[in-house]
Amino acid sequence: MSDHAYQQCINPDCAATYDVGEVLVSCPACDSLLDIRYRWSRLPRPTWTRFEQRWMTKGEHGAGALDFSGVWRFRELMPFYRDPSDIVTIGEGRTNLQDARRLAGRIGLKSGGLQLQYEGLNPTGSFKDNGMTAAFTHARMVGADKVACASTGNTSASLAMFADVSGMKGVVFIGSGKIAYGKLSQALDYGAMTLQIQGDFDDCLRRVRQIATQVPQLGIYLMNSVNPFRLEGQKAIMYRVLEARDWNVPDWIVVPGGNLGNCSAFAKAFGELHDLGLVERIPRLAVIQAAGANPLHVLVNEQGVKWNEGRWDQSARDELYAQDIKARTIASAIEIGHPVNLPKALRALEMMNGVVRQVDDADILEHKALVGRFGFGCEPASAASVAGAHMLVREGVIGPDEEVVCILTGHQLKDPDATVKYHTGIDMKAAQESAPQQPPTGRYANPPIQVEDDLAAIVEVLGGDPALVSTAQI
Ligand code: F0G
C-alpha cells in the first residue's frame, strides 16, 4: 500500500514487518506490540521551517484543513497515509503550552521552569484526539465502517466524535460506574453505541479486543492504543511542545500513565526526531501513576524490570497481572491495572532515561486544585503529572533550575464531580444515584446499554449471532 511506511513487531527477536494496509493490533507471529516505521531516506526531509510556514495557510480550504490541525501540520513526521484525502481531521491539536510561573514556585522550580501543555483544549477535551485522527485516517484507508474501543472515558468521547464526523458507526465499552459523567455525556451525545459492561477498564479492553480480532462477522476496527496508528498521532503533542519552545528541548517531560500509550508515543517522537537530526538531545521522561493503579511503578521500581533492548522480564509482568489486583483511584482516567502498552513504556523509559513515580489520590487532588487556581484547570488524572513533578523536585531528581513540561491530558470539565467534591465536600455522584430514575423521553436520547461481561451477550447486543462464538472464546 505504501512503500515508505510499514508495521513492525517491537520484539527484536521477531521484528516481523507488515504492510500498513493490514489491520493488526499485535504481531501475528509472536503477539508482541507493533510500531509504525518509515524509510525516511525515501521521503522528503522534514524541517521545522516547513511546519512553521503552515501557520500562514491554515485557514484555507484543501491542504488548509491539514495545516489547521495541530497533528497534520507535522504530517511529514507521520507519513503512513496514501494520500492526503485519506486524512480524517476535526481540527484537533490546537493546544497551548502555558508558562506556569506562579505554580512553578509552589513546586520548587524557578520562575519559567514549569510549562503546562493543555491538551484539554482539544475538540473533545482531551489528548486522545491527537491519536484518534491518525487511527481514523488508517480506518478510512482500509475501508472500515465500524469502530470500537474500551475506555475510561476520554478515548470513548474522542472515538464517538470522530465516528460521528466521519460517518462510521462507533461502539464504546465502558466499565459500569467507572466513568466521569462529563465523558459519558459526550459519548451519548455524539451518538455512539455505549455498552456498560459489568466490570472495569481491563475487562472492557479484553472484551473489545476479542470482538475485534476473534469475531470477524462483526467487522469491527479496534481504536484502543494497541492500534499502533493511534500512537503516531500522539507524537504530535511533543512536536507542539517543541514548537512552542522555539524548538528548544526541555529537560523533562512529565506525563500521567494509564494504559501507557502516551509516554510510548512521546519516546517514539523523540527517537525519530533525533534520528532525523531535528533535535540534538532527548529530554528525560517521568511517568506518573496513581498509587491505586501502579503496575509500571511496581515492575520498574520494586522489581527492577527494564526494557533491556527488548529482552525484558515478561514473567514478572505475567505474574503481576495474574494476581488480578483491581485498580482503584479518584483519577478514573488512569484506573487501569493491566496496561497493554507496558513493553513500549519500558522501551520509552530506556530511550528517555526515564523514571516512574506513584502519587496518591490526596496528592492528585491537591495538585489539581493548584493547577485550577493558577491556570486553566485539568481533570484529576492530568494533575498526577504536576504532583509527580513536585515529588521529583522534593527528591532532588529534578533540579530546581531544570525546565519541566507537564502534560495536562484532560479538561477540567471532564470530571466536575471530583472538583465539586474537593471544594464543597458534596458527593454529586452519590446524590445523583439516590435521585429517582426516569426513563429518557428526548427524541434523540441514546441511553447506555447494560451488558454482562460475557462475549456471547456482547455479540448479541452488537447485532451478531452469539451461536457463532465458540465456547472456548467465552
Ligand atoms: N490522562 C487522561 C485524562 C486519560 O484519559 C488517560 C487515558 C491518561 C491520562 C493515560 O494515558 O493511557 O496513554 O497512559 N485514558 C484512556 C481512556 C485509558 O480510555 O480514555 P495513557
Side-chain angles (χ1 to χ4, degrees):
M1 176 174 264
S2 157
D3 61 352
H4 54 256
Y6 56 97
Q7 308 189 58
Q8 183 164 37
C9 174
I10 69 165
N11 170 5
D13 295 325
C14 172
T17 60
Y18 305 94
D19 194 274
V20 283
E22 289 196 51
V23 179
L24 300 168
V25 291
S26 65
C27 174
C30 76
D31 206 32
S32 299
L33 296 169
L34 296 166
D35 270 333
I36 308 304
R37 295 265 167 222
Y38 305 101
R39 297 186 177 93
W40 294 109
S41 58
R42 298 191 195 168
L43 288 157
R45 194 170 177 72
T47 64
W48 294 136
T49 329
R50 177 107 183 84
F51 304 137
E52 280 180 354
Q53 282 165 350
R54 295 197 167 131
W55 283 93
M56 291 186 285
T57 53
K58 63 187 170 23
E60 292 169 18
H61 294 297
L66 304 187
D67 295 352
F68 182 83
S69 160
V71 173
W72 299 105
R73 184 158 85 239
F74 303 99
R75 52 193 174 274
E76 285 82 359
L77 293 168
M78 49 191 83
F80 64 81
Y81 55 91
R82 249 176 340 203
D83 186 87
S85 63
D86 289 329
I87 293 175
V88 179
T89 174
I90 57 168
E92 59 287 321
R94 297 178 53 75
T95 61
N96 202 334
L97 184 72
Q98 285 276 320
D99 191 355
R101 285 179 191 276
R102 294 169 71 202
L103 184 53
R106 290 289 183 114
I107 69 164
L109 290 167
K110 66 178 180 192
S111 175
L114 176 66
Q115 291 177 309
L116 302 177
Q117 176 69 11
Y118 278 97
E119 286 301 306
L121 300 178
N122 269 289
T124 74
S126 88
F127 76 95
K128 301 288 179 182
D129 295 348
N130 292 281
M132 220 40 94
T133 184
F136 268 82
T137 295
H138 183 248
R140 181 183 275 179
M141 275 166 65
V142 298
D145 61 0
K146 213 185 281 175
V147 297
C149 71
S151 182
T152 56
N154 282 324
T155 305
S156 54
S158 187
L159 176 144
M161 185 189 269
F162 274 92
D164 198 20
V165 169
S166 61
M168 296 188 205
K169 180 175 168 56
V171 183
V172 304
F173 290 60
I174 55 180
S176 234
K178 294 287 179 189
I179 181 171
Y181 278 124
K183 304 174 189 182
L184 177 62
S185 67
Q186 289 181 287
L188 301 179
D189 218 29
Y190 302 139
M193 181 181 206
T194 303
L195 303 187
Q196 262 184 324
I197 306 288
Q198 278 151 15
D200 59 14
F201 173 83
D202 297 310
D203 300 319
C204 288
L205 185 55
R206 189 164 50 89
R207 288 302 179 199
V208 74
R209 276 183 89 158
Q210 277 180 323
I211 294 280
T213 57
Q214 297 171 25
V215 193
Q217 51 158 321
L218 293 174
I220 283 186
Y221 178 100
L222 185 64
M223 282 289 173
N224 279 100
S225 56
V226 282
N227 175 337
F229 294 93
R230 274 270 311 276
L231 301 191
E232 285 309 282
Q234 285 171 214
K235 295 188 304 190
I237 301 169
M238 291 299 102
Y239 307 150
R240 294 197 298 275
V241 165
L242 289 175
E243 182 181 52
R245 294 174 51 89
D246 274 334
W247 317 112
N248 289 311
V249 176
D251 296 307
W252 286 90
I253 300 288
V254 188
V255 62
N259 218 10
L260 305 175
N262 229 8
C263 58
S264 306
F266 295 175
K268 187 169 190 285
F270 275 106
E272 289 171 351
L273 291 177
H274 196 257
D275 290 348
L276 287 165
L278 285 168
V279 295
E280 282 178 4
R281 67 185 179 94
I282 292 178
R284 294 191 70 186
L285 173 72
V287 182
I288 314 300
Q289 293 206 293
N294 62 355
L296 185 68
H297 161 79
V298 170
L299 290 171
V300 170
N301 295 333
E302 293 177 9
Q303 303 189 17
V305 176
K306 288 192 170 61
W307 171 242
N308 193 22
E309 293 180 355
R311 288 163 196 108
W312 58 288
D313 182 0
Q314 302 198 17
S315 61
R317 175 202 53 189
D318 295 345
E319 272 167 37
L320 183 71
Y321 285 13
Q323 290 174 20
D324 202 25
I325 303 161
K326 292 287 175 205
R328 290 281 177 276
T329 166
I330 182 83
S332 57
I334 51 175
E335 193 178 66
I336 296 175
H338 302 171
V340 287
N341 287 303
L342 186 102
K344 285 188 176 177
L346 294 174
R347 184 178 66 174
L349 292 169
E350 185 168 287
M351 283 175 69
M352 296 181 72
N353 188 15
V355 297
V356 182
R357 289 294 180 272
Q358 59 171 351
V359 289
D360 64 26
D361 282 4
D363 224 15
I364 289 175
L365 289 175
E366 296 299 347
H367 286 85
K368 188 184 110 54
L370 281 175
V371 173
R373 168 110 23 127
F374 297 126
F376 302 163
C378 65
E379 67 167 281
S382 311
S385 63
V386 179
H390 194 177
M391 177 180 273
L392 289 164
V393 171
R394 279 194 305 251
E395 288 176 9
V397 175
I398 295 181
D401 291 328
E402 290 198 286
E403 293 187 358
V404 178
V405 173
C406 289
I407 312 300
L408 298 183
T409 44
H411 200 283
Q412 184 188 39
L413 296 177
K414 286 282 190 172
D415 190 356
D417 293 344
T419 310
V420 171
K421 189 168 178 206
Y422 175 88
H423 289 289
T424 68
I426 299 170
D427 187 341
M428 295 299 291
K429 245 186 190 162
Q432 282 154 357
E433 271 155 21
S434 60
Q437 304 291 316
Q438 285 175 358
T441 52
R443 194 184 302 175
Y444 304 107
N446 175 34
I449 303 164
Q450 315 283 341
V451 201
E452 276 171 67
D453 183 13
D454 172 84
L455 188 61
I458 296 168
V459 168
E460 188 162 17
V461 169
L462 291 171
D465 180 355
L468 295 179
V469 178
S470 79
T471 44
Q473 290 172 336
I474 300 169

